[in-house]
Amino acid sequence: MRPLRLLLSWGLLVTEVLCEYGMVHVTSEKSNGKDYCILFNPSWARLPHDLTKAALLQLQDQTASVLCSPMDVPGGGFTNRIPMVMRGNCTFYEKVRLAQINGARGLLIVSRERLVPPGGNHSQYEEIDIPVALLSYTDMLEISKTYGHSVKVAMYAPNEPVMDYNMVIIFVMAVGTVAIGGYWAGSRDVKKRYMKHKRDDGADKKHDDETVDVTPIMICVFVVMCCSMLVLLYYFYDHLVYVIIAIFCLAASIGLYSCLSPFVRRIPYGKCRVPDNNLPYFHKRPPIWKLLLAAFCINVSVIWGVYRNEDQWAWVLQDILGIAFCLYMLKTIRLPTFKGCTLLLFVLFIYDVFFVFITPFLTKSGESIMVQVASGPSDSYTQEKLPMVLKVPRLNASPLALCDRPFSLLGFGDILVPGLLVAYCHRFDIQMQSSRIYFVACTIAYGIGLLVTFVALALMQMGQPALLYLVPCTLLTSLVVALWRKELPMFWTGSGFVKDLPQPSLVHTPSYPNAGLGQQTEEEEQTTETNNQSESKPEETTKNPVGKKMQQDVEKISDPAAEQLISQPSEPQHCQNTDSTTPNPAETKLVIAPDKMESNPTESQHCSKTNSVMSDPINPADLPVPTPLPHAEMASLTKQK
């Protein structure tokens, strides 16, 4: 049984190799010519590679029959014509044999289902010498509607280029996104560490909420979610694809806002704020430029969502939004150790290889789950495509541009996963002051791995798991650099990142706080404006509550000698906010003689610091000793009271 299975697998492989895409050029007297996709087997008969060498023959519409018996052949036969019949009820050999016997120069079989190669055995191949190809039912309807019945066709199969020029565009976008995202993430992380030593704890916690440190548990949960989502998309693609599109629109608009805000912030317009209100979010009085930028980003995402199936230009918006999303994720997600980087890349490496190379042996159709979900199932009635890819149309004329793959694709995961390692290398470079050798080496390794992916794609002519080549290139390069510099223990554990200790290099280097795309964060702007407003307000004066209490006590006394207590000066204004734990001599209710009331010239020295414990606490021995009133005056006061 095992040799038989191997033989069958080899036979299927040979059939798949012999299957080729071609074109049928359709023209008429009413309309200009147009090419349509066909799938043929060169074992029946080969097609010319050049259209000028292909025979232009009359197309005979026989779609009302399946051409399985001689009764399906019209009276005049198919002399020097190419009949077009429906698929089904018999084998390909029976159809093409009847067509050849009746003078046909070729055969087009219309399929309502997915195009499959018209196969046969070796003896049948030797008997037939006319080309046979499959045409989709949708294309047949378009041909009948556009060109009518008087149609001429020519079948040919142009050579596929080894590599399309659009690969250069994808390469520049991918490497540029990884380099910019890694550099931005590393510089921004160092900037936050520098600013931490200038902030209090509350402000620093608010600022650190923008980044997420990935833990091993989070990596495991993420991989399980990816596997589950991919399998669900494979079985319920038409239902879940719209959920993915909606999530992409929301996340891409946030990413675009995050990328554009550092540049828009520098424009000297729109700095005014929203008036006072009680609306959600608007009660914080955001600047006008933030609202305009948010509206612009949302509109771009909505425009793409509405016109996402316009193949001529919608791919440009999708790539812009995709790059912005990747930059935002590289800036937000942070791997604190090289150990975490290795775990994430290795697990996703296994994930990518499994769903590309192993799943074809587990599915009924024999197709890769990853490739089918990324390019969209052929039997999907929605014909929607997942937006989580960078896509560029093929720039040269080829059958693949019409048939199977009109776009070249690169998934976001092939950018984000190695990009997180590049960002970690940049942070470690700055930490160790290594002239960005880790960052440059890892970025170059990513570019080399991407080139190897393109070469494998050109040689195998099938979808490739890019992480199969990117992960070894980036991981091994980073590891070799760490070994060469003898910094592997620190590089592996991420010394200086897990424990947030103050580093001297971050304090005395003035360039790091301004590194990154923005010169000033949103929290710094609000802090600066608040300080400016507080400095512009005049210092308010308050009444001394102790003096007010003494005045109320004196009003109850009718002795003219005691009325001079009202003229006692209040404490200086800068003593109002002293700490409650500091003893205040004015709180003691004492009746002091008028001739002993004097202002203490050293009183301001005891009130130099507010809002916390006083810098020079009062010594009780330094307080003035109250002088008791004479016995006669005390008796007079008691009698009058």
Side-chain angles (χ1 to χ4, degrees):
M1 291 299 293
R2 185 173 181 180
L4 180 61
R5 290 180 181 179
L6 292 176
L7 183 61
L8 291 175
S9 300
W10 174 252
L12 292 175
L13 180 61
V14 171
T15 304
E16 184 177 358
V17 171
L18 295 178
C19 172
E20 295 181 5
Y21 286 108
M23 295 182 182
V24 54
H25 183 75
V26 182
T27 183
S28 67
E29 298 178 355
K30 300 180 181 179
S31 304
N32 296 326
K34 183 179 178 180
D35 291 335
Y36 293 90
C37 172
I38 58 174
L39 185 68
F40 74 100
N41 188 346
S43 298
W44 299 104
R46 291 190 174 274
L47 296 177
H49 298 300
D50 194 353
L51 178 60
T52 58
K53 298 180 180 180
L56 188 63
L57 302 172
Q58 186 73 29
L59 179 67
Q60 185 170 346
D61 189 357
Q62 293 292 126
T63 53
S65 66
V66 292
L67 194 62
C68 288
S69 64
M71 298 182 60
D72 296 330
V73 180
F78 308 117
T79 306
N80 290 329
R81 297 182 180 183
I82 297 179
M84 183 170 61
V85 300
M86 295 299 297
R87 176 186 174 187
N89 295 352
C90 59
T91 63
F92 292 113
Y93 168 72
E94 294 175 353
K95 294 178 185 292
V96 68
R97 180 174 175 274
L98 283 174
Q100 179 174 302
I101 292 175
N102 289 274
R105 299 281 300 275
L107 179 64
L108 282 177
I109 302 176
V110 179
S111 176
R112 295 177 181 268
E113 303 174 357
R114 180 177 176 272
L115 299 183
V116 296
N121 55 44
H122 183 70
S123 60
Q124 294 172 350
Y125 291 153
E126 293 180 348
E127 182 180 351
I128 303 300
D129 58 0
I130 63 173
V132 54
L134 264 70
L135 179 72
S136 68
Y137 183 76
T138 305
D139 290 341
M140 184 272 293
L141 294 178
E142 183 178 344
I143 292 173
S144 301
K145 182 179 180 181
T146 305
Y147 299 97
H149 298 284
S150 179
V151 180
K152 291 185 177 182
V153 297
M155 293 189 293
Y156 69 107
N159 291 322
E160 284 288 341
V162 177
M163 185 171 294
D164 198 282
Y165 298 113
N166 61 358
M167 293 296 183
V168 178
I169 301 177
I170 290 182
F171 179 83
V172 172
M173 289 193 302
V175 177
T177 303
V178 168
I180 296 174
Y183 184 87
W184 187 12
S187 301
R188 186 173 176 271
D189 184 72
V190 172
K191 178 181 178 180
K192 290 191 301 180
R193 293 175 182 277
Y194 179 88
M195 295 303 298
K196 182 173 183 178
H197 304 294
K198 293 186 176 182
R199 297 168 178 262
D200 55 9
D201 294 336
D204 184 69
K205 290 179 181 179
K206 180 180 179 181
H207 192 76
D208 283 344
D209 289 342
E210 300 177 4
T211 59
V212 177
D213 287 337
V214 179
T215 62
I217 297 178
M218 294 173 62
I219 293 174
C220 297
V221 173
F222 172 74
V223 173
V224 171
M225 291 178 61
C226 288
C227 297
S228 303
M229 193 64 189
L230 193 61
V231 173
L232 289 175
L233 282 170
Y234 179 76
Y235 289 104
F236 307 101
Y237 183 88
D238 293 327
H239 300 85
L240 296 178
V241 64
Y242 294 106
V243 178
I244 302 299
I245 291 175
I247 294 175
F248 173 76
C249 289
L250 178 61
S253 60
I254 297 174
L256 187 62
Y257 177 89
S258 176
C259 294
L260 294 180
S261 58
F263 301 100
V264 178
R265 183 182 290 117
R266 299 182 180 182
I267 300 177
Y269 300 102
K271 299 297 183 181
C272 55
R273 293 181 172 271
V274 175
D276 293 334
N277 59 85
N278 296 325
L279 298 176
Y281 177 74
F282 290 96
H283 70 278
K284 298 180 180 179
R285 301 185 61 204
I288 297 298
W289 69 266
K290 291 185 178 181
L291 301 180
L292 296 178
L293 180 60
F296 171 77
C297 297
I298 294 174
N299 286 333
V300 172
S301 296
V302 171
I303 291 173
W304 174 85
V306 174
Y307 299 100
R308 62 185 178 276
N309 293 322
E310 295 290 336
D311 291 339
Q312 294 182 353
W313 57 271
W315 64 272
V316 178
L317 281 183
Q318 179 172 332
D319 290 346
I320 293 174
L321 293 173
I323 291 174
F325 170 76
C326 291
L327 291 176
Y328 174 73
M329 296 301 293
L330 290 176
K331 183 188 69 171
T332 304
I333 300 176
R334 180 174 60 182
L335 291 171
T337 63
F338 184 67
K339 178 172 60 177
C341 296
T342 304
L343 176 62
L344 176 64
L345 269 67
F346 179 75
V347 173
L348 291 180
F349 171 85
I350 301 298
Y351 159 83
D352 214 15
V353 172
F354 175 80
F355 280 101
V356 172
F357 290 137
I358 306 301
T359 52
F361 299 99
L362 304 178
T363 58
K364 295 181 179 179
S365 60
E367 294 183 351
S368 166
I369 291 180
M370 180 75 74
V371 175
Q372 188 168 0
V373 170
S375 59
S378 57
D379 57 349
S380 172
Y381 66 86
T382 61
Q383 296 299 317
E384 293 285 354
K385 307 295 183 183
L386 288 180
M388 313 301 289
V389 293
L390 296 181
K391 54 188 288 188
V392 179
R394 294 183 176 271
L395 302 179
N396 50 14
S398 66
L400 285 180
L402 288 176
C403 304
D404 186 45
R405 289 170 284 172
F407 291 89
S408 295
L409 310 176
L410 183 66
F412 288 169
D414 302 328
I415 299 175
L416 290 175
V417 176
L420 293 173
L421 176 59
V422 173
Y424 173 81
C425 290
H426 187 216
R427 290 197 306 271
F428 190 79
D429 275 328
I430 299 176
Q431 185 77 14
M432 303 302 297
Q433 297 181 345
S434 55
S435 301
R436 297 186 175 89
I437 184 173
Y438 288 93
F439 170 72
V440 174
C442 194
T443 304
I444 294 176
Y446 176 80
I448 294 175
L450 200 59
L451 289 177
V452 174
T453 305
F454 292 160
V455 171
L457 181 64
L459 294 178
M460 299 183 186
Q461 289 297 317
M462 60 178 296
Q464 296 294 314
L467 293 182
L468 175 63
Y469 312 98
L470 295 175
V471 169
C473 287
T474 52
L475 275 180
L476 293 179
T477 302
S478 303
L479 187 62
V480 168
V481 173
L483 288 172
W484 173 60
R485 294 177 57 87
K486 299 179 180 179
E487 297 172 346
L488 183 58
M490 299 179 62
F491 189 67
W492 178 260
T493 58
S495 299
F497 295 105
V498 179
K499 295 181 180 180
D500 199 359
L501 300 176
Q503 299 293 332
S505 60
L506 302 182
V507 176
H508 74 267
T509 304
S511 60
Y512 292 150
N514 295 329
L517 298 181
Q519 297 294 331
Q520 191 177 23
T521 60
E522 182 178 338
E523 290 81 359
E524 294 171 9
E525 284 187 348
Q526 296 178 357
T527 305
T528 304
E529 293 177 1
T530 305
N531 294 336
N532 294 337
Q533 294 177 2
S534 61
E535 290 176 0
S536 61
K537 293 181 180 181
E539 187 177 0
E540 298 179 359
T541 58
T542 56
K543 294 183 179 180
N544 191 347
V546 180
K548 185 175 180 181
K549 179 65 177 177
M550 292 177 64
Q551 183 177 355
Q552 294 176 355
D553 293 339
V554 172
E555 287 178 355
K556 298 179 181 180
I557 304 174
S558 59
D559 188 0
E563 292 180 358
Q564 298 182 13
L565 293 174
I566 302 175
S567 63
Q568 169 68 19
S570 61
E571 292 182 4
Q573 296 177 1
H574 57 270
C575 297
Q576 297 298 322
N577 297 326
T578 56
D579 191 83
S580 59
T581 60
T582 305
N584 190 352
E587 294 180 357
T588 306
K589 294 183 180 181
L590 297 175
V591 181
I592 304 175
D595 57 339
K596 300 294 183 181
M597 296 293 291
E598 292 181 352
S599 61
N600 190 357
T602 63
E603 185 179 7
S604 61
Q605 299 177 359
H606 304 291
C607 306
S608 59
K609 186 175 182 180
T610 58
N611 301 327
S612 62
V613 180
M614 299 177 62
S615 61
D616 190 7
I618 298 176
N619 188 0
D622 296 337
L623 296 177
V625 181
T627 304
L629 293 175
H631 179 73
E633 293 181 6
M634 290 292 295
S636 175
L637 290 174
T638 304
K639 182 179 179 181
Q640 293 180 7
K641 185 174 181 181

